[in-house]
Amino acid sequence: MARTQEFDTGKALGDARRVFWDKGFDATSIADLEAATGLGRSSIYHGFGSKRGLFDAVIQDYMDTVLRPRLTLLHNQAHPAEGISTYLTSLSDALVKTADQTTNRGCLLLNTAAGIAGNDEALRLLIDGYQVELRDGVAGALRAADPTQTDAVVLARARIVAGLTMGALLMARVNLGEALSTLEAAGEQARLWLPAGSQAR
C-alpha cells in the first residue's frame, strides 16, 4: 500500500526556498532542510526523491508563483509603456523586500545561474528559457508601443533591457544599491525608445 503524504507541499517548498536562497544548493544540507521545513529526512526523500528533487521543485514553484506572474506585467496592451515601467518597479520592490540586515537574497533563479546551472543542462535550459520569456515580453511591449519599429530593432532593444535587468538581478546579492540603479537605468533606456505619447505617467 502506497504511503500517504502527510505534509503541506506548498509550505515545505516555501520553507526550503528560503534555505536554498540564503545558502545555495551546494552549501545546503539535508539537516538544514529538516530544520527549516520541520520534515524528517524520510519525508523529504519520500516527497521529493532527493535534495536535488526538492531543489528542482522549489525552482519550478518559484518560476510558477513568482517569476511568471511578474512577467505578465509586461503584457499591458492598453498601456504597453506602463507595462515595462511596472515590471521593473515590481522587481526593485521585490529586491528591497527580500533584503535584510545580513543578506541580500537577489533572485533565486539567477543565483542558481551563477552556481550549479553552468554545469547542469536541465537548469541551464530553464534559465535560458526564462531569459527568452523576459526578452520576448519586453519586445512585445516595445512593439505594441511603437508598431513602426522593425523586428530587428525591437529585438535588439529588448535584449538590452533584458540584459540590464538580468545583470541587476545577479548584482543584487552583492550590491543592492547598484542593482536598483541598474534597474532604473533599464527603465530610462526603454523610455528613450518609446514614443512620447506612450510614456508611462
Side-chain angles (χ1 to χ4, degrees), residues 108-169:
L108 176 61
L109 189 69
L110 273 295
N111 292 349
T112 301
I116 64 174
N119 298 311
D120 188 295
E121 183 67 5
L123 282 173
R124 188 192 68 76
L125 289 173
L126 183 69
I127 293 167
D128 187 55
Y130 169 67
Q131 182 273 331
V132 169
E133 289 183 55
L134 171 57
R135 181 203 68 199
D136 289 351
V138 173
L142 291 173
R143 187 177 291 108
D146 183 5
T148 65
Q149 299 176 92
T150 67
D151 287 344
V153 167
V154 166
L155 189 58
R157 290 174 172 177
R159 283 192 171 111
I160 291 171
V161 174
L164 285 170
T165 301
M166 295 189 78
L169 294 175

Side-chain angles (χ1 to χ4, degrees), residues 92 95 167-169 171-173 175-184:
S92 296
L95 290 179
L169 294 175
M171 176 59 67
R173 196 169 179 95
N175 186 330
L176 180 61
E178 184 63 22
L180 296 175
S181 294
T182 301
L183 287 174
E184 185 177 349

Side-chain angles (χ1 to χ4, degrees), residues 43-102:
S43 293
I44 292 173
Y45 278 92
H46 173 71
F48 303 100
S50 63
K51 183 181 89 166
R52 175 55 192 270
L54 175 54
F55 180 73
D56 287 344
V58 164
I59 290 292
Q60 191 60 59
D61 181 68
Y62 183 71
M63 289 282 294
D64 293 341
T65 64
V66 177
L67 297 185
R68 287 201 174 101
R70 190 174 289 136
L71 285 174
T72 64
L73 297 172
L74 291 167
H75 305 294
N76 184 336
Q77 296 303 314
H79 303 286
E82 290 185 14
I84 295 175
S85 177
T86 302
Y87 170 73
L88 293 172
T89 298
S90 76
L91 283 181
S92 296
D93 291 345
L95 290 179
V96 171
K97 184 177 180 180
T98 58
D100 60 32
Q101 293 181 348
T102 59

